[in-house]
Amino acid sequence: MRVYILIIAFSLSLSVNTKAQQLTPVDKESKVSFSIKNFGIATGGTFKGLQGRINFSPANLTMASIDVSVDASSVDTDVDSRDNHLRKEEYFNVAKYPRLSFVSTKIEKSGNSNTYKVYGKLTIKGTTKDINFPFTATPQANGYVFSGDFKVNRRDFNVGGSSFVLGDNVTISLQVSAK
């Protein structure tokens, strides 16, 4: 009887340790930024209103998932007139598409102990594209800080129209605190 109890206790401890930890992004402790060339000069900004859910456990990546979004109208380049222009139809069209979102399809181990690769679907302005990028997951009190960078072509998402002064490639940098 004692052996059966030990086996059950061991099995339960394994299942508890391998379940993905359910986390919520903390907007005030996170940073979602972008950079792009405009007239050949690097410029950029940030987005706020980060929300969603992240399920993560390094011990069981098959259960890991990311489903997050930011408020498109929160775009902030430190220039009010530029921000207002970016909110219009030619750029983010925030009246029709209020959120930019990412939903993972797979997360796998990559390299060092805290390094992973995420595959998923990025939706901007009603257009969804498959992307993948490396990220790190650094443990913190009650959660993780997820950091990563990736590039997209703004034209793939119909952002900025046919502007020739605006670069095509946008680098998005993430530092997401989730608890």
Side-chain angles (χ1 to χ4, degrees), residues 5-153:
I5 292 172
L6 288 173
I7 290 171
I8 291 171
F10 180 72
S11 297
L12 287 174
S13 73
L14 282 179
S15 67
V16 169
N17 290 334
T18 60
K19 284 187 178 180
Q21 184 177 0
Q22 295 183 6
L23 305 166
T24 302
V26 181
D27 185 50
K28 291 178 179 157
E29 296 176 13
S30 300
K31 185 173 183 179
V32 176
S33 61
F34 65 92
S35 120
I36 188 168
K37 289 197 175 184
N38 191 11
F39 287 106
I41 299 169
T43 187
T46 60
F47 289 99
K48 288 290 184 193
L50 180 63
Q51 60 183 344
R53 67 181 188 282
I54 299 171
N55 295 312
F56 187 76
S57 170
N60 188 357
L61 294 176
T62 60
M63 298 299 292
S65 64
I66 299 170
D67 184 350
V68 293
S69 67
V70 293
D71 178 1
S73 68
S74 72
V75 64
D76 183 358
T77 64
D78 290 331
V79 179
D80 289 341
S81 61
R82 183 186 311 150
D83 298 345
N84 290 332
H85 188 69
L86 291 174
R87 292 180 184 111
K88 293 184 178 180
E89 185 176 348
E90 182 181 9
Y91 288 88
F92 292 112
N93 194 2
V94 301
K96 188 172 181 181
Y97 305 104
R99 303 210 59 89
L100 313 174
S101 64
F102 176 78
V103 178
S104 68
T105 56
K106 177 173 86 171
I107 298 173
E108 63 186 17
K109 188 80 179 103
S110 173
N112 298 333
S113 62
N114 292 339
T115 306
Y116 304 87
K117 189 167 192 178
V118 62
Y119 299 80
K121 299 190 177 294
L122 177 67
T123 302
I124 299 173
K125 202 175 173 182
T127 299
T128 302
K129 297 284 182 182
D130 289 321
I131 66 166
N132 64 77
F133 60 95
F135 72 95
T136 59
T138 306
Q140 68 172 6
N142 302 320
Y144 288 88
V145 173
F146 300 99
S147 301
D149 300 305
F150 61 92
K151 290 185 181 186
V152 295
N153 185 319

